[in-house]
Amino acid sequence: MNSVSAGGGSGVAPHEQALSTEVALDGGTTDIGRARDLAAAFLTEVQAGHGVVVSQRAVHLTQLVVSELVTNSRKYAPGPVLMDLRIVGDAVEVAVWDSNSVLLVARGADVGRIGQHGLELVMAVAQSFEARRDLIGKRITVRIALSDDSDNTDMPHPALRGAACCSSN
């Protein structure tokens, strides 16, 4: 993992520090797992090293979001994928850039459809979601709450229990 850096960044007041990390994924077969591992390591570091409160649920949901966004980029965009993770207030912001300028659109609910539910899951667990074209490609930015008001912060969202990213075993 690139080190967690602290410093000013966009949207950060001068008296606050932004905690962030970024990685370029080169299209290898291990990109998705590497991105999930980086997300978990980043959140562990900001909690241990900077005292930011991060629920286990936030770690699981961040890994899910990272997995879905990087999978989409690997599947539909040639070339590298850039991933930025940043603490913004009481949320983690996940931004994934790729070279494909086609914006993601969630498909309508269809319980009979097999697959292609990833964006629906991302939007269900996110505080905010933004898809924006860049000069080249697009950037998807998702914010996820770091803490959870429920009594059990060690469990992921009920719809995600048992998913490979979120199992509690």
Side-chain angles (χ1 to χ4, degrees), residues 23 25 30-40 66 70 83 85:
V23 65
L25 303 166
T30 62
D31 279 356
I32 298 162
R34 185 172 161 225
R36 277 193 308 260
D37 291 346
L38 175 73
V66 162
V70 172
M83 182 177 76
L85 301 168

Side-chain angles (χ1 to χ4, degrees), residues 97-137:
W97 173 92
D98 66 46
S99 63
N100 186 344
S101 62
V102 176
L103 296 179
L104 301 177
V105 177
R107 296 179 65 177
D110 178 359
V111 295
R113 184 175 73 237
I114 297 173
Q116 298 187 340
H117 294 281
L119 189 56
E120 294 171 49
L121 288 172
V122 168
M123 294 175 90
V125 302
Q127 281 185 331
S128 67
F129 174 89
E130 177 187 25
R132 182 185 84 223
R133 282 189 182 93
D134 279 348
L135 185 58
I136 298 174

Side-chain angles (χ1 to χ4, degrees), residues 21-106:
T21 192
E22 57 187 12
V23 65
L25 303 166
D26 60 9
T29 58
T30 62
D31 279 356
I32 298 162
R34 185 172 161 225
R36 277 193 308 260
D37 291 346
L38 175 73
F42 171 72
L43 292 174
T44 299
E45 172 61 25
V46 299
Q47 184 169 31
H50 299 277
V52 175
V53 176
V54 179
S55 72
Q56 200 55 39
R57 182 174 188 262
V59 174
H60 292 311
L61 293 179
T62 302
Q63 288 181 293
L64 171 73
V65 166
V66 162
S67 182
E68 292 298 334
L69 295 180
V70 172
T71 296
N72 186 73
S73 292
R74 289 280 33 99
K75 187 172 180 179
Y76 298 110
V81 173
L82 305 177
M83 182 177 76
D84 298 314
L85 301 168
R86 175 180 312 275
I87 302 300
V88 180
D90 62 353
V92 59
E93 185 175 270
V94 177
V96 174
W97 173 92
D98 66 46
S99 63
N100 186 344
S101 62
V102 176
L103 296 179
L104 301 177
V105 177

